[in-house]
Amino acid sequence: MKIFLSVLLSVFVLGLLTICGFFAYSMYESNQLNNKSIQANNNQEIEHEQDSNDLQLDESQTNTDSTQTSDSPQNAEECLLALIDNNPTCSLDDYSNQQLAGAYESLIDQGILEFWCHPGGDIGAVKRTITESITNKQNGIVCESGDRGESNEEDDSNVVTRDNVFDYLIEAIDSEEGNNHNLIVFQEPKMKSGYWEIAANNKSGAGSYTFKVYTDGTVEFWNGPMTDMSLSKKVELD
């Protein structure tokens, strides 16, 4: 009988221990699940906060880009107009010499700027040329005929017209040592503001030029895109 009671007591104790162990394990699992849920919620909050910050940064960058786009001129001509109006939203250094030369000539044709004038200066540097013209515009300085060495007295024998423009140009070319106008193909002259513009290229196909022949007989030699002037001389025909 005692043996039976001992066995029964042992079974009861083992069962009690098993039940306690089961409840302890269940509580452990529950805690683990709760921890994982809390961690997941924290991660979601962090990700949401990061997404919000990224969105704010993107909106800020977009606004900045929009502001810069709206404030900055879109092309070289608009840049020159902005500089004329003392609105320094751009720099001449932002554009190539060819872009600046094209914009400069366009504004001259529109009558917004006058051609560069400075006695004894070198107009070969297009940026310096434009800066000088803009300064003249802002200060109301008008290029007088004498600013390019022209005579204030009219000389009918020295007025360049469509009929004799090539006579002046050929005289200017051939008067320079090593030059020969027969090696050059000339295009039709175009009348600009106070001068004839003639595009040309070598018959060999290498090299292009732009010649400007002013009504007073002054001839200028420019490279093709008109970013550099190599020669300016006054021609008088016999």
Side-chain angles (χ1 to χ4, degrees), residues 2-217:
K2 289 182 179 180
I3 294 175
F4 175 75
L5 290 176
S6 296
V7 171
L8 185 61
L9 181 60
S10 298
V11 171
F12 174 76
V13 171
L14 288 174
L16 184 60
L17 291 173
T18 300
I19 293 171
C20 291
F22 174 76
F23 278 109
Y25 179 76
S26 297
M27 291 180 66
Y28 172 77
E29 286 292 319
S30 178
N31 288 335
Q32 287 294 101
L33 290 174
N34 288 336
N35 290 336
K36 290 181 179 179
S37 177
I38 293 172
Q39 184 65 36
N41 289 335
N42 289 338
N43 290 339
Q44 288 180 349
E45 290 178 358
I46 293 173
E47 290 177 359
H48 179 71
E49 184 177 354
Q50 288 177 341
D51 292 340
S52 298
N53 291 337
D54 292 341
L55 180 60
Q56 290 175 354
L57 288 174
D58 291 340
E59 291 177 349
S60 175
Q61 183 64 37
T62 300
N63 292 335
T64 301
D65 293 341
S66 299
T67 302
Q68 291 175 347
T69 301
S70 61
D71 290 343
S72 299
Q74 298 300 308
N75 55 49
E77 187 170 323
E78 290 180 354
C79 177
L80 297 189
L81 290 172
L83 293 176
I84 291 172
D85 293 335
N86 281 318
N87 182 22
T89 56
C90 67
S91 168
L92 297 183
D93 293 332
D94 297 335
Y95 305 92
S96 67
N97 286 343
Q98 186 169 354
Q99 289 174 318
L100 292 173
Y104 182 44
E105 184 174 1
S106 175
L107 294 181
I108 291 175
D109 291 341
Q110 296 174 49
I112 297 174
L113 280 178
E114 287 198 14
F115 186 71
W116 178 93
C117 58
H118 193 285
D122 172 20
I123 67 174
V126 65
K127 293 178 182 177
R128 187 167 67 251
T129 301
I130 291 173
T131 301
E132 177 78 13
S133 290
I134 290 176
T135 300
N136 290 346
K137 175 73 174 181
Q138 292 172 337
N139 293 279
I141 300 173
V142 179
C143 295
E144 301 294 339
S145 59
D147 288 341
R148 280 196 295 264
E150 301 177 10
S151 172
N152 290 323
E153 297 180 3
E154 184 177 354
D155 185 355
D156 293 337
S157 66
N158 200 33
V159 175
V160 179
T161 66
R162 174 62 182 82
D163 294 331
N164 63 13
V165 62
F166 280 107
D167 294 335
Y168 282 89
L169 178 56
I170 290 172
E171 174 67 22
I173 292 174
D174 291 345
S175 65
E176 294 298 309
E177 185 177 356
N179 288 349
N180 186 347
H181 76 275
N182 291 312
L183 301 178
I184 301 175
V185 178
F186 300 98
Q187 304 298 321
E188 282 297 310
K190 297 179 181 179
M191 187 61 191
K192 299 290 185 176
S193 179
Y195 64 92
W196 293 91
E197 181 179 289
I198 303 172
N201 59 274
N202 291 326
K203 289 183 177 180
S204 64
S208 61
Y209 314 95
T210 298
F211 298 101
K212 294 183 179 182
V213 184
Y214 290 87
T215 55
D216 73 322

